[in-house]
Amino acid sequence: MNRKINLQLFAAEANLTKSADLEPAISIDHTSRISRSLTKFREVLGITEMQPMAAGTQIKIYKSEKKNTPAQVGEGETIPLTKIERKLAQTIDLTLAKHRKSTPAESIQKVGYDNAVNKTDEKLISEIQKGIKADFFTLINSGTAKAEGVNLQTACANAWAKLQELFEDEDVNAVYFVNSVDVADYLGKANITMQTAFGLSYIENFLGLGTVIVSPKVTAGTVPATAKENLNGAYIPTDGDVGTAFGMTSDETGLIMMKHSVKDDNATLETIAMDGVKFYPERLDGIVVSTIKKPSDAQQGGEEQQEGQ
């Protein structure tokens, strides 16, 4: 006897929330958070907008050098030429950085979805931010202009003076980068307000000189400084072929893309994130690295100078 089976009895209940409904929203939530953090950091650096570039683009950073100092000549004599060379200092390859994390079913069962997936996703995002910051500070630490001062305040002030010389014909705003150890003593004595962006602390209008960004990535004992107008940002847009091919999700900024997917063959939930974000200076010789000299070193140098006179 043939019986008709009512398939509706076995169909999923209406309005059931499925994993496919949740995963894009989770991905967008995470990408939105890191994009907001990146945007805040960009604003602190004074970068008005990020420039979209194709993957594989080479960003070239230059420095200019004066090769000679001609002597002054008398009336009617030929004026010697001053030779200025503009050289390529560094080349940055704009490439897609890929990150992957896998969470097994056992971890979700043991500590819950939020701790196993969301909290570890936050750690993954933190590592992505660290990578972007590390690349940026490597460039900042390699500035070619020099200054020095006997303490943090003087080092910043002398860096500011050098920036006025380097950008003499431009209206610029200074930004300084200080190691957390070097700024600790000053913070213990001063009543100032610190803010945070992109996992970094910063002080606005420090001593009336400009913005100070605090990071352990800055070489201790130095204060790299530059004009905000010398800093740029570039990124690989996430709405290209890669994002489409892998079904990645992003927010409206397009700075980073992410995807969560279930792997049934090994009962894991995978998180994949990709980005191509770079912050960089336009001129390497537009970065002043000011050395913080200890008072004892400065005093010793003065005594040696007096003995030599």
Side-chain angles (χ1 to χ4, degrees):
M1 181 178 178
N2 295 327
R3 295 182 179 179
K4 292 183 178 180
I5 299 175
N6 187 352
L7 296 178
Q8 293 299 319
L9 295 175
F10 300 93
E13 186 178 350
N15 299 320
L16 176 68
T17 301
K18 303 176 183 179
S19 60
D21 299 321
L22 290 173
E23 288 156 17
I26 295 170
S27 300
I28 291 174
D29 178 61
H30 283 299
T31 55
S32 294
R33 274 187 281 171
I34 190 173
S35 293
R36 286 195 297 269
S37 184
L38 279 166
T39 299
K40 182 62 177 177
F41 183 56
R42 170 180 64 79
E43 292 171 352
V44 173
L45 292 177
I47 300 172
T48 55
E49 61 181 348
M50 302 286 286
Q51 297 296 323
M53 297 183 182
T57 300
Q58 287 192 328
I59 301 171
K60 299 184 183 297
I61 302 173
Y62 292 88
K63 64 179 180 179
S64 297
E65 294 180 351
K66 186 172 74 168
K67 305 302 293 185
N68 65 331
T69 305
Q72 292 299 306
V73 297
E75 182 177 349
E77 296 180 1
T78 301
I79 303 170
L81 294 174
T82 299
K83 185 176 182 180
I84 305 293
E85 287 188 356
R86 183 171 181 261
K87 293 184 176 181
L88 179 64
Q90 289 194 40
T91 299
I92 303 173
D93 293 317
L94 191 62
T95 57
L96 199 63
K98 302 178 290 293
H99 317 271
R100 183 168 72 101
K101 177 181 70 69
S102 182
T103 307
E106 289 81 0
S107 294
I108 298 174
Q109 175 66 33
K110 183 177 180 180
V111 300
Y113 186 93
D114 185 57
N115 287 323
V117 180
N118 291 337
K119 297 298 184 185
T120 53
D121 276 354
E122 291 175 4
K123 178 62 177 176
L124 178 66
I125 289 173
S126 175
E127 292 302 315
I128 293 172
Q129 292 184 164
K130 285 182 181 179
I132 295 171
K133 288 185 289 189
D135 290 344
F136 175 67
F137 281 113
T138 296
L139 292 169
I140 289 298
N141 285 324
S142 60
T144 58
K146 304 298 180 183
E148 62 180 29
V150 295
N151 52 36
L152 175 62
Q153 299 94 307
T154 309
C156 288
N158 289 342
W160 176 86
K162 186 67 176 179
L163 288 175
Q164 303 312 301
E165 176 186 331
L166 293 173
F167 298 93
E168 182 179 1
D169 299 324
E170 303 174 49
D171 185 15
V172 296
N173 299 287
V175 57
Y176 310 82
F177 304 90
V178 182
N179 187 283
S180 49
V181 173
D182 294 325
V183 79
D185 181 61
Y186 180 83
L187 294 178
K189 302 173 183 177
N191 183 20
I192 59 175
T193 301
M194 296 189 71
Q195 303 178 67
T196 58
F198 203 52
L200 295 168
S201 298
Y202 68 96
I203 307 166
E204 291 186 331
N205 197 30
F206 180 72
L207 301 175
L209 298 174
T211 301
V212 165
I213 295 175
V214 183
S215 171
K217 294 291 184 183
V218 178
T219 302
T222 66
V223 181
T226 190
K228 290 184 176 182
E229 291 75 10
N230 187 40
L231 299 176
N232 297 283
Y235 72 104
I236 301 171
T238 59
D239 57 357
D241 292 339
V242 173
T244 302
F246 288 92
M248 310 287 281
T249 58
S250 180
D251 70 347
E252 66 277 5
T253 66
L255 294 175
I256 184 170
M257 52 186 168
M258 182 177 281
K259 176 182 178 181
H260 289 83
S261 57
V262 174
K263 294 193 68 177
D264 293 327
D265 58 350
N266 62 359
T268 60
L269 180 64
E270 281 202 346
T271 304
I272 296 179
M274 299 184 191
D275 75 277
V277 177
K278 294 287 184 184
F279 294 103
Y280 62 94
E282 182 176 337
R283 292 171 45 194
L284 207 60
D285 60 328
I287 301 174
V288 180
V289 179
S290 187
T291 303
I292 304 173
K293 298 182 68 175
K294 296 179 181 179
S296 58
D297 294 339
Q299 183 178 1
Q300 182 179 354
E303 291 174 352
E304 291 176 352
Q305 185 177 6
Q306 289 179 356
E307 291 176 359
Q309 292 177 347

